[in-house]
Amino acid sequence: MIRFSTVLAAGITAAATITLVAGPAQADTVNRSAHAHFDGDGSMFVDVTRPAVGDTVVDVEWQKSVCVVSDGVRGCDSVSRRAYDVPVTRFSFSLTGAKLTATVPYQESRQHCDFVDGDEICGERQESAGATTLKVTWVALDEPLRRERWTGEDGSVHISTSAWTTVSGSGFGTTYDGSATSFGQLTRTRTIPPAA
């Protein structure tokens, strides 16, 4: 019994002297994004994401509606085109400006609706697919950068720096020349992982 106790005590003493070696600290990461809202002959919304790790991708939505009144009935033909998580061909980014080029395969929906006595009567939605070349240019406005800082639930600290921009570009057969009602934003977000 004494012999067993001696061995057990020695084991506990040895275990108490073990030193834990911490792994390497996690590096900060930087994500970049660009948003554009276009008004014109069809509205277009573009979101580009360049994560710290992984592919740069673009989400884009385009929509247009044309309405006419015939025999007292207002009828509208609407078209919407959309594509998500499409890999980007070229994307250059800074907080003073950015440029995007991407070949975008998209899904299209077409529908005709009539408005009669306050009721909306729509025909069957027609679905198809297509592709377009998307080009967008962002140019930062001469304004102070906007900065935000917050802490995530896991303790990571996020520091966001963004700039409002003018936007111009083309896609889905429409060219946008930077009208006053179109706008964009460029954002760079640095993430600092929690201390070990």
mmCIF file of all heavy atoms in Angstrom, residues 37-46 60-66 79-81 100 102 106 108 110 131-137 167-179 181-182:
data_model
loop_
_atom_site.group_PDB
_atom_site.id
_atom_site.type_symbol
_atom_site.label_atom_id
_atom_site.label_comp_id
_atom_site.label_asym_id
_atom_site.label_seq_id
_atom_site.Cartn_x
_atom_site.Cartn_y
_atom_site.Cartn_z
ATOM 1 N N HIS A 37 -25.740 50.377 -56.570
ATOM 2 C CA HIS A 37 -27.178 50.464 -56.846
ATOM 3 C C HIS A 37 -27.350 51.372 -58.058
ATOM 4 O O HIS A 37 -26.983 52.545 -58.006
ATOM 5 C CB HIS A 37 -27.900 51.049 -55.628
ATOM 6 C CG HIS A 37 -29.358 51.318 -55.854
ATOM 7 N ND1 HIS A 37 -30.341 50.743 -55.094
ATOM 8 C CD2 HIS A 37 -30.012 52.091 -56.761
ATOM 9 C CE1 HIS A 37 -31.531 51.165 -55.516
ATOM 10 N NE2 HIS A 37 -31.343 51.985 -56.531
ATOM 11 N N PHE A 38 -27.883 50.808 -59.137
ATOM 12 C CA PHE A 38 -28.050 51.566 -60.376
ATOM 13 C C PHE A 38 -29.530 51.805 -60.658
ATOM 14 O O PHE A 38 -30.351 50.883 -60.572
ATOM 15 C CB PHE A 38 -27.461 50.799 -61.563
ATOM 16 C CG PHE A 38 -25.971 50.675 -61.553
ATOM 17 C CD1 PHE A 38 -25.357 49.513 -61.110
ATOM 18 C CD2 PHE A 38 -25.169 51.719 -61.994
ATOM 19 C CE1 PHE A 38 -23.980 49.390 -61.117
ATOM 20 C CE2 PHE A 38 -23.789 51.607 -61.997
ATOM 21 C CZ PHE A 38 -23.193 50.443 -61.560
ATOM 22 N N ASP A 39 -29.843 53.044 -61.036
ATOM 23 C CA ASP A 39 -31.173 53.385 -61.541
ATOM 24 C C ASP A 39 -31.025 53.815 -62.997
ATOM 25 O O ASP A 39 -30.092 54.530 -63.345
ATOM 26 C CB ASP A 39 -31.791 54.523 -60.736
ATOM 27 C CG ASP A 39 -32.361 54.041 -59.419
ATOM 28 O OD1 ASP A 39 -32.805 52.888 -59.352
ATOM 29 O OD2 ASP A 39 -32.338 54.817 -58.438
ATOM 30 N N GLY A 40 -31.944 53.384 -63.841
ATOM 31 C CA GLY A 40 -31.890 53.752 -65.249
ATOM 32 C C GLY A 40 -32.915 52.949 -66.018
ATOM 33 O O GLY A 40 -34.032 52.720 -65.536
ATOM 34 N N ASP A 41 -32.552 52.498 -67.206
ATOM 35 C CA ASP A 41 -33.436 51.662 -68.012
ATOM 36 C C ASP A 41 -33.363 50.236 -67.479
ATOM 37 O O ASP A 41 -32.788 49.330 -68.081
ATOM 38 C CB ASP A 41 -33.016 51.717 -69.479
ATOM 39 C CG ASP A 41 -33.993 50.945 -70.363
ATOM 40 O OD1 ASP A 41 -35.148 50.755 -69.932
ATOM 41 O OD2 ASP A 41 -33.594 50.527 -71.455
ATOM 42 N N GLY A 42 -33.939 50.058 -66.292
ATOM 43 C CA GLY A 42 -33.789 48.819 -65.533
ATOM 44 C C GLY A 42 -32.901 49.082 -64.329
ATOM 45 O O GLY A 42 -31.865 49.736 -64.439
ATOM 46 N N SER A 43 -33.320 48.623 -63.156
ATOM 47 C CA SER A 43 -32.525 48.804 -61.939
ATOM 48 C C SER A 43 -31.588 47.621 -61.752
ATOM 49 O O SER A 43 -31.956 46.470 -62.042
ATOM 50 C CB SER A 43 -33.441 48.933 -60.715
ATOM 51 O OG SER A 43 -34.278 50.065 -60.825
ATOM 52 N N MET A 44 -30.373 47.889 -61.275
ATOM 53 C CA MET A 44 -29.400 46.823 -61.077
ATOM 54 C C MET A 44 -28.716 46.992 -59.718
ATOM 55 O O MET A 44 -28.365 48.105 -59.317
ATOM 56 C CB MET A 44 -28.354 46.829 -62.197
ATOM 57 C CG MET A 44 -27.392 45.655 -62.121
ATOM 58 S SD MET A 44 -26.379 45.432 -63.628
ATOM 59 C CE MET A 44 -25.302 46.878 -63.549
ATOM 60 N N PHE A 45 -28.577 45.866 -59.024
ATOM 61 C CA PHE A 45 -27.935 45.851 -57.713
ATOM 62 C C PHE A 45 -26.774 44.863 -57.764
ATOM 63 O O PHE A 45 -26.949 43.713 -58.167
ATOM 64 C CB PHE A 45 -28.935 45.436 -56.636
ATOM 65 C CG PHE A 45 -30.211 46.244 -56.649
ATOM 66 C CD1 PHE A 45 -31.294 45.836 -57.423
ATOM 67 C CD2 PHE A 45 -30.316 47.411 -55.921
ATOM 68 C CE1 PHE A 45 -32.466 46.575 -57.456
ATOM 69 C CE2 PHE A 45 -31.481 48.158 -55.943
ATOM 70 C CZ PHE A 45 -32.561 47.741 -56.713
ATOM 71 N N VAL A 46 -25.599 45.326 -57.348
ATOM 72 C CA VAL A 46 -24.388 44.510 -57.438
ATOM 73 C C VAL A 46 -23.710 44.464 -56.072
ATOM 74 O O VAL A 46 -23.533 45.499 -55.420
ATOM 75 C CB VAL A 46 -23.398 45.098 -58.475
ATOM 76 C CG1 VAL A 46 -22.119 44.261 -58.530
ATOM 77 C CG2 VAL A 46 -24.053 45.174 -59.849
ATOM 78 N N VAL A 60 -25.748 39.620 -58.284
ATOM 79 C CA VAL A 60 -26.318 40.715 -59.079
ATOM 80 C C VAL A 60 -27.789 40.437 -59.332
ATOM 81 O O VAL A 60 -28.200 39.295 -59.577
ATOM 82 C CB VAL A 60 -25.545 40.903 -60.407
ATOM 83 C CG1 VAL A 60 -25.527 39.624 -61.232
ATOM 84 C CG2 VAL A 60 -26.139 42.057 -61.218
ATOM 85 N N GLU A 61 -28.589 41.498 -59.245
ATOM 86 C CA GLU A 61 -30.006 41.435 -59.571
ATOM 87 C C GLU A 61 -30.348 42.602 -60.495
ATOM 88 O O GLU A 61 -29.880 43.721 -60.273
ATOM 89 C CB GLU A 61 -30.872 41.504 -58.310
ATOM 90 C CG GLU A 61 -30.685 40.317 -57.381
ATOM 91 C CD GLU A 61 -31.541 40.415 -56.131
ATOM 92 O OE1 GLU A 61 -32.127 41.497 -55.904
ATOM 93 O OE2 GLU A 61 -31.621 39.421 -55.384
ATOM 94 N N TRP A 62 -31.136 42.334 -61.524
ATOM 95 C CA TRP A 62 -31.562 43.346 -62.486
ATOM 96 C C TRP A 62 -33.054 43.195 -62.699
ATOM 97 O O TRP A 62 -33.560 42.066 -62.812
ATOM 98 C CB TRP A 62 -30.814 43.145 -63.799
ATOM 99 C CG TRP A 62 -31.101 44.142 -64.888
ATOM 100 C CD1 TRP A 62 -30.405 45.286 -65.152
ATOM 101 C CD2 TRP A 62 -32.135 44.077 -65.876
ATOM 102 N NE1 TRP A 62 -30.938 45.936 -66.236
ATOM 103 C CE2 TRP A 62 -32.014 45.215 -66.702
ATOM 104 C CE3 TRP A 62 -33.159 43.172 -66.136
ATOM 105 C CZ2 TRP A 62 -32.868 45.457 -67.773
ATOM 106 C CZ3 TRP A 62 -34.025 43.412 -67.201
ATOM 107 C CH2 TRP A 62 -33.867 44.550 -68.009
ATOM 108 N N GLN A 63 -33.765 44.305 -62.749
ATOM 109 C CA GLN A 63 -35.206 44.215 -62.964
ATOM 110 C C GLN A 63 -35.729 45.430 -63.725
ATOM 111 O O GLN A 63 -35.205 46.537 -63.605
ATOM 112 C CB GLN A 63 -35.939 44.079 -61.627
ATOM 113 C CG GLN A 63 -35.633 45.177 -60.632
ATOM 114 C CD GLN A 63 -36.161 44.846 -59.247
ATOM 115 O OE1 GLN A 63 -36.411 43.680 -58.917
ATOM 116 N NE2 GLN A 63 -36.341 45.865 -58.423
ATOM 117 N N LYS A 64 -36.768 45.177 -64.512
ATOM 118 C CA LYS A 64 -37.368 46.230 -65.315
ATOM 119 C C LYS A 64 -38.854 45.929 -65.474
ATOM 120 O O LYS A 64 -39.255 44.778 -65.662
ATOM 121 C CB LYS A 64 -36.690 46.314 -66.683
ATOM 122 C CG LYS A 64 -37.240 47.396 -67.603
ATOM 123 C CD LYS A 64 -36.489 47.420 -68.928
ATOM 124 C CE LYS A 64 -37.028 48.493 -69.854
ATOM 125 N NZ LYS A 64 -36.288 48.540 -71.142
ATOM 126 N N SER A 65 -39.658 46.988 -65.427
ATOM 127 C CA SER A 65 -41.095 46.834 -65.606
ATOM 128 C C SER A 65 -41.601 47.937 -66.520
ATOM 129 O O SER A 65 -41.264 49.111 -66.333
ATOM 130 C CB SER A 65 -41.817 46.886 -64.254
ATOM 131 O OG SER A 65 -43.201 46.648 -64.411
ATOM 132 N N VAL A 66 -42.380 47.551 -67.532
ATOM 133 C CA VAL A 66 -42.964 48.508 -68.477
ATOM 134 C C VAL A 66 -44.480 48.369 -68.405
ATOM 135 O O VAL A 66 -45.020 47.268 -68.580
ATOM 136 C CB VAL A 66 -42.473 48.248 -69.912
ATOM 137 C CG1 VAL A 66 -43.149 49.207 -70.876
ATOM 138 C CG2 VAL A 66 -40.955 48.382 -69.993
ATOM 139 N N VAL A 79 -39.568 42.025 -66.048
ATOM 140 C CA VAL A 79 -38.457 41.104 -66.283
ATOM 141 C C VAL A 79 -37.496 41.223 -65.106
ATOM 142 O O VAL A 79 -37.145 42.330 -64.695
ATOM 143 C CB VAL A 79 -37.703 41.425 -67.587
ATOM 144 C CG1 VAL A 79 -36.587 40.406 -67.822
ATOM 145 C CG2 VAL A 79 -38.649 41.463 -68.769
ATOM 146 N N SER A 80 -37.087 40.095 -64.570
ATOM 147 C CA SER A 80 -36.061 40.110 -63.515
ATOM 148 C C SER A 80 -34.986 39.085 -63.846
ATOM 149 O O SER A 80 -35.287 37.994 -64.349
ATOM 150 C CB SER A 80 -36.673 39.808 -62.146
ATOM 151 O OG SER A 80 -37.178 38.490 -62.097
ATOM 152 N N ARG A 81 -33.753 39.466 -63.600
ATOM 153 C CA ARG A 81 -32.607 38.583 -63.846
ATOM 154 C C ARG A 81 -31.743 38.584 -62.587
ATOM 155 O O ARG A 81 -31.539 39.623 -61.978
ATOM 156 C CB ARG A 81 -31.803 39.074 -65.062
ATOM 157 C CG ARG A 81 -32.605 38.990 -66.359
ATOM 158 C CD ARG A 81 -31.983 39.782 -67.476
ATOM 159 N NE ARG A 81 -32.794 39.682 -68.707
ATOM 160 C CZ ARG A 81 -32.756 40.541 -69.702
ATOM 161 N NH1 ARG A 81 -31.940 41.595 -69.630
ATOM 162 N NH2 ARG A 81 -33.516 40.382 -70.756
ATOM 163 N N LEU A 100 -14.683 46.155 -61.587
ATOM 164 C CA LEU A 100 -15.136 44.773 -61.663
ATOM 165 C C LEU A 100 -15.425 44.395 -63.108
ATOM 166 O O LEU A 100 -16.005 45.170 -63.859
ATOM 167 C CB LEU A 100 -16.423 44.597 -60.846
ATOM 168 C CG LEU A 100 -17.259 43.347 -61.126
ATOM 169 C CD1 LEU A 100 -16.577 42.113 -60.544
ATOM 170 C CD2 LEU A 100 -18.669 43.498 -60.575
ATOM 171 N N ALA A 102 -16.939 40.685 -64.892
ATOM 172 C CA ALA A 102 -17.344 39.302 -64.643
ATOM 173 C C ALA A 102 -18.287 38.841 -65.744
ATOM 174 O O ALA A 102 -19.130 39.607 -66.220
ATOM 175 C CB ALA A 102 -18.034 39.176 -63.286
ATOM 176 N N TYR A 106 -27.102 33.868 -65.703
ATOM 177 C CA TYR A 106 -28.195 34.289 -64.836
ATOM 178 C C TYR A 106 -29.485 33.542 -65.143
ATOM 179 O O TYR A 106 -29.649 32.939 -66.206
ATOM 180 C CB TYR A 106 -28.439 35.798 -64.987
ATOM 181 C CG TYR A 106 -28.832 36.245 -66.379
ATOM 182 C CD1 TYR A 106 -30.152 36.157 -66.820
ATOM 183 C CD2 TYR A 106 -27.877 36.759 -67.262
ATOM 184 C CE1 TYR A 106 -30.514 36.564 -68.108
ATOM 185 C CE2 TYR A 106 -28.227 37.162 -68.543
ATOM 186 C CZ TYR A 106 -29.544 37.066 -68.957
ATOM 187 O OH TYR A 106 -29.903 37.456 -70.230
ATOM 188 N N GLU A 108 -33.629 34.091 -65.522
ATOM 189 C CA GLU A 108 -34.545 35.161 -65.898
ATOM 190 C C GLU A 108 -35.992 34.749 -65.661
ATOM 191 O O GLU A 108 -36.375 33.599 -65.903
ATOM 192 C CB GLU A 108 -34.362 35.521 -67.366
ATOM 193 C CG GLU A 108 -35.325 36.605 -67.875
ATOM 194 C CD GLU A 108 -35.135 36.930 -69.343
ATOM 195 O OE1 GLU A 108 -34.157 37.631 -69.659
ATOM 196 O OE2 GLU A 108 -35.954 36.443 -70.163
ATOM 197 N N ARG A 110 -40.025 36.261 -66.477
ATOM 198 C CA ARG A 110 -40.883 37.245 -67.159
ATOM 199 C C ARG A 110 -42.330 36.986 -66.767
ATOM 200 O O ARG A 110 -42.758 35.830 -66.662
ATOM 201 C CB ARG A 110 -40.732 37.148 -68.682
ATOM 202 C CG ARG A 110 -39.382 37.612 -69.205
ATOM 203 C CD ARG A 110 -39.293 37.464 -70.720
ATOM 204 N NE ARG A 110 -38.038 37.973 -71.240
ATOM 205 C CZ ARG A 110 -37.848 39.212 -71.679
ATOM 206 N NH1 ARG A 110 -38.879 40.077 -71.694
ATOM 207 N NH2 ARG A 110 -36.678 39.607 -72.130
ATOM 208 N N ALA A 131 -26.722 34.810 -70.211
ATOM 209 C CA ALA A 131 -25.419 35.229 -69.691
ATOM 210 C C ALA A 131 -25.159 36.665 -70.136
ATOM 211 O O ALA A 131 -25.630 37.099 -71.194
ATOM 212 C CB ALA A 131 -24.303 34.306 -70.173
ATOM 213 N N THR A 132 -24.416 37.406 -69.319
ATOM 214 C CA THR A 132 -24.076 38.786 -69.639
ATOM 215 C C THR A 132 -22.678 39.101 -69.120
ATOM 216 O O THR A 132 -22.172 38.430 -68.218
ATOM 217 C CB THR A 132 -25.097 39.774 -69.011
ATOM 218 O OG1 THR A 132 -24.857 41.091 -69.507
ATOM 219 C CG2 THR A 132 -24.974 39.794 -67.492
ATOM 220 N N THR A 133 -22.059 40.109 -69.712
ATOM 221 C CA THR A 133 -20.785 40.620 -69.195
ATOM 222 C C THR A 133 -21.090 41.812 -68.310
ATOM 223 O O THR A 133 -21.702 42.786 -68.755
ATOM 224 C CB THR A 133 -19.842 41.035 -70.335
ATOM 225 O OG1 THR A 133 -19.535 39.888 -71.130
ATOM 226 C CG2 THR A 133 -18.538 41.609 -69.768
ATOM 227 N N LEU A 134 -20.680 41.721 -67.064
ATOM 228 C CA LEU A 134 -20.941 42.764 -66.079
ATOM 229 C C LEU A 134 -19.675 43.577 -65.848
ATOM 230 O O LEU A 134 -18.606 43.013 -65.581
ATOM 231 C CB LEU A 134 -21.402 42.120 -64.767
ATOM 232 C CG LEU A 134 -21.712 43.041 -63.598
ATOM 233 C CD1 LEU A 134 -22.923 43.921 -63.904
ATOM 234 C CD2 LEU A 134 -21.963 42.213 -62.333
ATOM 235 N N LYS A 135 -19.795 44.914 -65.993
ATOM 236 C CA LYS A 135 -18.669 45.802 -65.733
ATOM 237 C C LYS A 135 -19.140 46.937 -64.829
ATOM 238 O O LYS A 135 -20.169 47.551 -65.098
ATOM 239 C CB LYS A 135 -18.106 46.382 -67.039
ATOM 240 C CG LYS A 135 -17.478 45.337 -67.954
ATOM 241 C CD LYS A 135 -16.855 45.982 -69.187
ATOM 242 C CE LYS A 135 -16.181 44.932 -70.066
ATOM 243 N NZ LYS A 135 -15.540 45.546 -71.254
ATOM 244 N N VAL A 136 -18.384 47.186 -63.756
ATOM 245 C CA VAL A 136 -18.741 48.252 -62.819
ATOM 246 C C VAL A 136 -17.473 48.986 -62.384
ATOM 247 O O VAL A 136 -16.430 48.361 -62.144
ATOM 248 C CB VAL A 136 -19.454 47.701 -61.565
ATOM 249 C CG1 VAL A 136 -19.865 48.844 -60.636
ATOM 250 C CG2 VAL A 136 -20.673 46.873 -61.951
ATOM 251 N N THR A 137 -17.588 50.313 -62.300
ATOM 252 C CA THR A 137 -16.492 51.151 -61.791
ATOM 253 C C THR A 137 -17.008 51.983 -60.625
ATOM 254 O O THR A 137 -18.055 52.629 -60.730
ATOM 255 C CB THR A 137 -15.951 52.084 -62.886
ATOM 256 O OG1 THR A 137 -15.419 51.294 -63.959
ATOM 257 C CG2 THR A 137 -14.846 52.982 -62.340
ATOM 258 N N VAL A 167 -20.969 55.451 -59.184
ATOM 259 C CA VAL A 167 -20.846 54.177 -59.887
ATOM 260 C C VAL A 167 -21.253 54.350 -61.350
ATOM 261 O O VAL A 167 -22.124 55.158 -61.673
ATOM 262 C CB VAL A 167 -21.716 53.073 -59.240
ATOM 263 C CG1 VAL A 167 -21.108 52.592 -57.943
ATOM 264 C CG2 VAL A 167 -23.149 53.541 -59.027
ATOM 265 N N SER A 168 -20.604 53.603 -62.199
ATOM 266 C CA SER A 168 -20.973 53.532 -63.612
ATOM 267 C C SER A 168 -20.667 52.119 -64.085
ATOM 268 O O SER A 168 -19.906 51.382 -63.444
ATOM 269 C CB SER A 168 -20.186 54.559 -64.439
ATOM 270 O OG SER A 168 -18.787 54.329 -64.317
ATOM 271 N N GLY A 169 -21.282 51.731 -65.202
ATOM 272 C CA GLY A 169 -21.016 50.388 -65.690
ATOM 273 C C GLY A 169 -22.055 49.917 -66.675
ATOM 274 O O GLY A 169 -22.839 50.702 -67.218
ATOM 275 N N SER A 170 -22.079 48.594 -66.883
ATOM 276 C CA SER A 170 -23.012 48.016 -67.845
ATOM 277 C C SER A 170 -23.278 46.559 -67.491
ATOM 278 O O SER A 170 -22.475 45.892 -66.842
ATOM 279 C CB SER A 170 -22.457 48.118 -69.266
ATOM 280 O OG SER A 170 -21.220 47.411 -69.365
ATOM 281 N N GLY A 171 -24.438 46.089 -67.950
ATOM 282 C CA GLY A 171 -24.815 44.700 -67.746
ATOM 283 C C GLY A 171 -26.235 44.477 -68.226
ATOM 284 O O GLY A 171 -27.064 45.395 -68.209
ATOM 285 N N PHE A 172 -26.534 43.274 -68.710
ATOM 286 C CA PHE A 172 -27.877 42.911 -69.166
ATOM 287 C C PHE A 172 -28.375 43.822 -70.286
ATOM 288 O O PHE A 172 -29.557 44.131 -70.382
ATOM 289 C CB PHE A 172 -28.863 42.931 -67.997
ATOM 290 C CG PHE A 172 -28.448 42.053 -66.841
ATOM 291 C CD1 PHE A 172 -27.869 42.601 -65.713
ATOM 292 C CD2 PHE A 172 -28.630 40.684 -66.911
ATOM 293 C CE1 PHE A 172 -27.476 41.799 -64.658
ATOM 294 C CE2 PHE A 172 -28.245 39.867 -65.853
ATOM 295 C CZ PHE A 172 -27.662 40.431 -64.731
ATOM 296 N N GLY A 173 -27.459 44.296 -71.118
ATOM 297 C CA GLY A 173 -27.829 45.135 -72.242
ATOM 298 C C GLY A 173 -28.109 46.584 -71.892
ATOM 299 O O GLY A 173 -28.567 47.350 -72.745
ATOM 300 N N THR A 174 -27.824 46.970 -70.663
ATOM 301 C CA THR A 174 -28.069 48.338 -70.212
ATOM 302 C C THR A 174 -26.748 48.983 -69.802
ATOM 303 O O THR A 174 -25.906 48.354 -69.158
ATOM 304 C CB THR A 174 -29.030 48.362 -69.007
ATOM 305 O OG1 THR A 174 -30.233 47.672 -69.349
ATOM 306 C CG2 THR A 174 -29.368 49.789 -68.599
ATOM 307 N N THR A 175 -26.568 50.261 -70.183
ATOM 308 C CA THR A 175 -25.383 51.021 -69.788
ATOM 309 C C THR A 175 -25.791 52.094 -68.789
ATOM 310 O O THR A 175 -26.778 52.803 -68.995
ATOM 311 C CB THR A 175 -24.714 51.684 -71.013
ATOM 312 O OG1 THR A 175 -24.287 50.654 -71.920
ATOM 313 C CG2 THR A 175 -23.508 52.515 -70.594
ATOM 314 N N TYR A 176 -25.039 52.184 -67.714
ATOM 315 C CA TYR A 176 -25.299 53.171 -66.662
ATOM 316 C C TYR A 176 -24.131 54.150 -66.621
ATOM 317 O O TYR A 176 -22.975 53.743 -66.471
ATOM 318 C CB TYR A 176 -25.445 52.476 -65.315
ATOM 319 C CG TYR A 176 -26.553 51.447 -65.277
ATOM 320 C CD1 TYR A 176 -26.294 50.110 -65.593
ATOM 321 C CD2 TYR A 176 -27.849 51.810 -64.949
ATOM 322 C CE1 TYR A 176 -27.312 49.164 -65.564
ATOM 323 C CE2 TYR A 176 -28.877 50.861 -64.908
ATOM 324 C CZ TYR A 176 -28.599 49.540 -65.225
ATOM 325 O OH TYR A 176 -29.607 48.605 -65.198
ATOM 326 N N ASP A 177 -24.434 55.448 -66.769
ATOM 327 C CA ASP A 177 -23.372 56.446 -66.911
ATOM 328 C C ASP A 177 -23.147 57.272 -65.646
ATOM 329 O O ASP A 177 -22.564 58.350 -65.701
ATOM 330 C CB ASP A 177 -23.684 57.382 -68.078
ATOM 331 C CG ASP A 177 -25.036 58.075 -67.909
ATOM 332 O OD1 ASP A 177 -25.691 57.875 -66.866
ATOM 333 O OD2 ASP A 177 -25.438 58.806 -68.836
ATOM 334 N N GLY A 178 -23.582 56.783 -64.499
ATOM 335 C CA GLY A 178 -23.310 57.496 -63.259
ATOM 336 C C GLY A 178 -24.337 58.560 -62.941
ATOM 337 O O GLY A 178 -23.980 59.690 -62.600
ATOM 338 N N SER A 179 -25.616 58.229 -63.046
ATOM 339 C CA SER A 179 -26.666 59.200 -62.750
ATOM 340 C C SER A 179 -26.680 59.537 -61.264
ATOM 341 O O SER A 179 -26.135 58.803 -60.430
ATOM 342 C CB SER A 179 -28.036 58.642 -63.168
ATOM 343 O OG SER A 179 -28.416 57.588 -62.307
ATOM 344 N N THR A 181 -28.970 59.355 -59.158
ATOM 345 C CA THR A 181 -29.725 58.450 -58.295
ATOM 346 C C THR A 181 -29.043 57.099 -58.115
ATOM 347 O O THR A 181 -29.547 56.245 -57.375
ATOM 348 C CB THR A 181 -31.139 58.226 -58.859
ATOM 349 O OG1 THR A 181 -31.043 57.754 -60.207
ATOM 350 C CG2 THR A 181 -31.940 59.515 -58.831
ATOM 351 N N SER A 182 -27.918 56.884 -58.787
ATOM 352 C CA SER A 182 -27.128 55.673 -58.583
ATOM 353 C C SER A 182 -26.032 55.961 -57.557
ATOM 354 O O SER A 182 -25.539 57.084 -57.455
ATOM 355 C CB SER A 182 -26.496 55.206 -59.903
ATOM 356 O OG SER A 182 -27.487 54.887 -60.858
#
